[in-house]
Amino acid sequence: EPEVTQTPSHQVTQMGQEVILRCVPISNHLYFYWYRQILGQKVEFLVSFYNNEISEKSEIFDDQFSVERPDGSNFTLKIRSTKLEDSAMYFCASSELAEPTYEQYFGPGTRLTVT
Amino acid sequence: AQSVTQPDIHITVSEGASLELRCNYSYGATPYLFWYVQSPGQGLQLLLKYFSGDTLVQGIKGFEAEFKRSQSSFNLRKPSVHWSDAAEYFCAVAPRRKTSYDKVIFGPGTSLSVIP
């Protein structure tokens, strides 16, 4: 069964450093998403992406964040200058379309630890 | 404000017992409704979803959920719990945009423990 993959599974970085989290969505999917889950808290929507542009973003997704689909298979989340509070599990998701019958498939997540 | 509440932070049930996880939402119009499960170290897996029609929805792994508009609830049930059901369960909603949805808004989750 096709699945969303994410690399790395765990990333440790120092405060102020840039990190890039990578995702490979399911190949025929057109919509892509990033969510994050701070330890012990709920999963929060960050951004959705379609047709090479951001479709919607949350208030969490400030200028420190950016997303890109650099090629036909990868979808990346960049955090320009990490803060301690960016430590969280980041989930990538993709869906074939944004219509109700098409669910969002989630990857296993990347645990980001900012020290 | 849009919100999803799951009143039970943690539930423990015996294997073979029935299960009901509660979910309430606050939203202007009935959103799309979902239940996801997250096993330790795993991603989120969709158990079931409600868009319209029959208010009792069947999902994978023997789960079902019932949408009650009058109570703004979407409770998850399973008649007989298995040890492998121990996980974190998230109720979620997606605001309706014409016939599509975009972001998913998650509840805080209910942690389920199963004792033999």
Side-chain angles (χ1 to χ4, degrees):
Chain A
E1 184 177 331
E3 58 183 17
V4 177
T5 59
Q6 291 184 244
T7 55
S9 57
H10 191 190
Q11 172 91 47
V12 181
T13 189
Q14 288 190 323
M15 194 167 53
Q17 295 296 304
E18 174 184 286
V19 294
I20 297 176
L21 309 183
R22 301 180 193 279
C23 168
V24 179
I26 295 173
S27 62
N28 64 331
H29 285 189
L30 300 177
Y31 287 79
F32 314 110
Y33 312 84
W34 283 101
Y35 294 79
R36 80 171 185 191
Q37 183 182 30
I38 295 172
L39 188 63
Q41 298 186 24
K42 63 183 179 183
V43 178
E44 301 172 289
F45 168 79
L46 290 178
V47 65
S48 58
F49 190 86
Y50 169 68
N51 201 25
N52 279 322
E53 60 183 28
I54 290 174
S55 177
E56 186 169 354
K57 60 182 180 180
S58 72
E59 57 193 26
I60 302 168
F61 194 88
D62 61 23
D63 292 343
Q64 292 298 314
F65 291 89
S66 62
V67 289
E68 192 179 30
R69 188 150 163 83
D71 52 43
S73 59
N74 290 283
F75 179 51
T76 62
L77 174 70
K78 182 193 291 186
I79 308 175
R80 190 170 302 120
S81 177
T82 50
K83 309 184 190 75
L84 293 176
E85 53 265 36
D86 293 327
S87 295
M89 180 75 88
Y90 288 81
F91 293 104
C92 173
S94 70
S95 64
E96 192 171 345
L97 293 172
E99 294 168 12
T101 49
Y102 297 95
E103 70 174 86
Q104 293 185 18
Y105 289 83
F106 284 78
T110 292
R111 179 163 297 286
L112 176 65
T113 302
V114 183
T115 62
Chain B
Q2 308 161 20
S3 68
V4 182
T5 55
Q6 294 179 245
D8 304 303
I9 297 172
H10 188 196
I11 284 183
T12 300
V13 298
S14 298
E15 192 168 15
S18 64
L19 170 72
E20 182 168 26
L21 302 182
R22 296 181 290 164
C23 172
N24 292 93
Y25 65 90
S26 173
Y27 205 83
T30 300
Y32 300 123
L33 299 160
F34 309 86
W35 275 98
Y36 285 86
V37 61
Q38 183 183 27
S39 298
Q42 302 293 311
L44 296 156
Q45 183 181 25
L46 181 67
L47 285 176
L48 47 76
K49 58 193 177 188
Y50 172 78
F51 295 138
S52 63
D54 193 346
T55 56
L56 185 63
V57 180
Q58 301 298 320
I60 62 171
K61 304 185 180 188
F63 285 92
E64 67 177 27
E66 185 172 14
F67 166 59
K68 293 186 177 179
R69 186 189 305 273
S70 61
Q71 299 176 19
S72 296
S73 69
F74 189 56
N75 294 347
L76 181 71
R77 299 194 293 249
K78 187 169 184 179
S80 177
V81 169
H82 188 261
W83 65 265
S84 60
D85 293 325
E88 189 86 16
Y89 290 80
F90 294 96
C91 181
V93 305
R96 290 179 187 255
R97 287 204 313 208
K98 296 184 180 179
T99 58
S100 69
Y101 73 94
D102 201 330
K103 64 184 177 185
V104 178
I105 301 167
F106 287 84
T110 296
S111 176
L112 174 67
S113 296
V114 180
I115 53 177

